[in-house]
Amino acid sequence: MNYDNYLNPAILDVKPSGIRKFFSIAEEMEDVISLGVGEPDFLTPWHIRQVGIDSLENGSTRYTANSGLSELREEISSFYTRHHLIKYNPEAEVLVTVGGSEAIDMCIRCLVNPDDEVLIVEPSFVCYKPIVEICGGKAVPVVTKRENNFRLRADDLENAVTDKTKLLILPYPNNPTGAVMRKEDLEAVARVVIEKDLLVLSDEIYSELTFGSQEHMSIASVNGMKERTVVINGFSKTYSMTGWRLGYALGPAPIIKQMTKLHQFAIMSAPTTSQYAAIEALRNGDDDISKMKSEYDMRRRYTVNAFREIGLDCFEPEGAFYAFPCIKSTGLSSEEFCERLIMSKHVAVVPGNAFGECGEGFIRVSYCYSIENIKEAVRRIGEFVKELGENNGN
């Protein structure tokens, strides 16, 4: 029986995630150190877990409102006002979702028609392009470059816009590069967005994980942009709550209304236990964020310096928890480097081209793992690079 005759051609044309390949290999091997998955190694802070446990013991196990507990939506609104100086109406402009991933999917599905063009800043996370294509839209990459610190330039954006362009996907702090947009960058981008009458999906899942003096600024806070922007965020990265599967969308009421309708039919409501835990996270979790950020910052500085010491140029990330070292000097493609590394040294990292063609010549390394694992992994990568040089006669 040929199931391809029954399946939607749009989903058949989607390639599997470039991230997963190397973890499938790693699962079959012993002594593998994986620096690939973007999952914090911290446990969800105890006071957050305790509230989730208490909600179960109190029998709070029923569906919530489709858009989420009103108390949680109020806390989300308060959080964005407190941290990012943007006010959202918790009744009409906030939607609680099953992770940030569901929010991204619903936003794109509610906005993109067949043949609409969607500009995707690359390198970037792997999910945007497939969702756009499943909707019948055309994903158009807008390439960011190492020499520009992987920030989106307004002139590159303007050059990519056509009369079919509807939506810009802006993922900062960026996965995989760790790049962070500056205020002047966002203001320049906003001028193009407003002039060309575009909408923006701003994926801010790493908003609280920035380092040094540079803090995250949402493009929704730029004058004239709140009405054009759907902000996506969640609890997985900020509070180490990956398995709780909870995210949210903030945006104009007419768009959130339609996303809620789709959520209503596809999901019903986000997990009740997770919502109660998230209320506690937003109310009392700022100290947890600070402690985890401090640890990530130490790992970040070690990772960047270690790659430079073994001879690989490494952009210094200002956000998220990824490094994006350049491996062009080895003469290998990103795929070849990662395949040979895992087979010979049992270290799993992700090829840069998994995040767009412009990621070729780079690898993504996550430093959300223990410093002991990071040190051993980089030591093995250093051995691998040295052996490559010796074999090439360098």
Side-chain angles (χ1 to χ4, degrees):
M1 187 170 183
N2 186 359
Y3 289 99
D4 287 357
N5 294 331
Y6 297 86
L7 291 166
N8 185 335
I11 195 67
L12 289 173
D13 289 340
V14 171
K15 296 179 181 179
S17 167
I19 295 177
R20 298 309 311 174
K21 173 182 176 180
F22 293 91
F23 307 111
S24 298
I25 297 173
E27 287 172 358
E28 302 299 321
M29 301 174 69
E30 295 181 0
D31 188 33
V32 172
I33 298 176
S34 174
L35 300 183
V37 177
E39 181 166 25
D41 67 329
F42 299 104
L43 291 175
T44 304
W46 171 248
H47 66 102
I48 299 173
R49 284 183 280 153
Q50 182 68 66
V51 170
I53 292 168
D54 289 347
S55 75
L56 291 172
E57 291 183 338
N58 293 334
S60 300
T61 57
R62 304 180 70 84
Y63 294 129
T64 69
N66 294 133
S67 55
L69 289 167
S70 59
E71 191 176 2
L72 175 56
R73 283 180 278 129
E74 288 170 3
E75 290 297 335
I76 291 169
S77 176
S78 175
F79 181 88
Y80 254 76
T81 300
R82 188 169 75 249
H83 284 248
H84 304 295
L85 306 178
I86 317 171
K87 293 184 178 180
Y88 287 97
N89 179 349
E91 295 303 314
E93 297 178 325
V94 181
L95 170 62
V96 180
T97 62
V98 181
S101 299
E102 189 212 352
I104 292 168
D105 178 50
M106 288 193 301
C107 179
I108 294 172
R109 284 203 278 165
C110 284
L111 293 177
V112 176
N113 296 315
D115 299 325
D116 283 343
E117 292 183 0
V118 178
L119 304 182
I120 303 176
V121 175
E122 291 187 350
S124 64
F125 188 53
V126 298
C127 77
Y128 311 123
K129 180 180 177 182
I131 297 171
V132 168
E133 292 176 342
I134 289 169
C135 292
K138 180 181 179 183
V140 179
V142 184
V143 173
T144 61
K145 299 176 182 177
R146 169 69 172 84
E147 55 264 34
N148 297 324
N149 296 311
F150 293 111
R151 297 177 198 148
L152 174 62
R153 293 169 56 93
D155 54 349
D156 291 332
L157 171 62
E158 187 167 16
N159 291 336
V161 176
T162 73
D163 58 0
K164 292 185 176 181
T165 306
K166 176 183 282 186
L167 178 67
L168 166 67
I169 297 180
L170 190 69
Y172 288 94
N174 184 265
N175 171 12
T177 65
V180 173
M181 294 283 278
R182 299 287 195 269
K183 181 175 186 286
E184 58 270 24
D185 300 323
L186 293 171
E187 289 174 340
V189 167
R191 286 194 289 270
V192 176
V193 168
I194 292 170
E195 178 187 341
K196 300 297 183 180
D197 194 24
L198 306 180
L199 296 175
V200 175
L201 186 166
S202 183
D203 186 350
E204 303 181 14
I205 195 70
Y206 297 99
S207 63
E208 309 314 304
L209 299 179
T210 58
F211 307 103
S213 61
Q214 184 58 44
E215 294 186 357
H216 170 72
M217 177 179 173
S218 174
I219 195 170
S221 68
V222 177
N223 188 39
M225 286 304 299
K226 184 185 173 205
E227 66 195 51
R228 294 180 174 273
T229 304
V230 177
V231 172
I232 306 297
N233 211 320
F235 298 85
S236 294
K237 316 300 183 179
T238 302
Y239 300 102
S240 196
M241 293 177 67
T242 51
W244 298 77
R245 304 314 304 133
L246 204 69
Y248 54 89
L250 308 166
I255 297 177
I256 295 298
K257 180 179 180 180
Q258 299 310 313
M259 290 176 62
T260 303
K261 186 194 302 180
L262 180 56
H263 173 76
Q264 179 184 64
F265 288 118
I267 299 293
M268 182 64 75
S269 60
T272 302
T273 305
S274 301
Q275 292 190 54
Y276 282 107
I279 293 170
E280 170 66 15
L282 291 169
R283 284 180 179 167
N284 299 306
D286 284 1
D287 286 346
D288 301 308
I289 297 172
S290 296
K291 290 175 184 176
M292 287 188 276
K293 267 182 64 171
S294 178
E295 179 69 18
Y296 288 139
D297 192 21
M298 180 273 291
R299 299 175 189 179
R300 175 183 72 101
R301 287 182 278 110
Y302 176 86
T303 303
V304 171
N305 290 335
F307 274 113
R308 290 172 177 172
E309 287 176 2
I310 65 178
L312 297 180
D313 175 58
C314 190
F315 169 72
E316 184 166 345
E318 294 181 310
F321 38 55
Y322 307 103
F324 204 55
C326 179
I327 51 89
K328 294 177 183 178
S329 61
T330 67
L332 299 179
S333 71
S334 296
E335 289 270 349
E336 290 170 334
F337 186 97
C338 293
E339 287 177 357
R340 290 173 62 173
L341 175 65
I342 194 171
M343 298 309 296
S344 66
K345 299 298 179 182
H346 291 194
V347 175
V349 295
V350 183
N353 63 337
F355 306 95
E357 292 181 9
C358 61
E360 178 55 56
F362 296 84
I363 57 173
R364 190 193 77 172
V365 177
S366 173
Y367 53 83
C368 62
Y369 298 88
S370 71
I371 190 66
E372 292 77 19
N373 276 352
I374 293 171
K375 287 181 177 179
E376 176 60 18
V378 175
R379 185 192 68 78
R380 295 184 193 182
I381 295 172
E383 284 184 353
F384 177 68
V385 171
K386 182 179 180 182
E387 291 168 8
L388 285 175
E390 292 172 348
N391 292 336
N392 291 332
N394 295 332

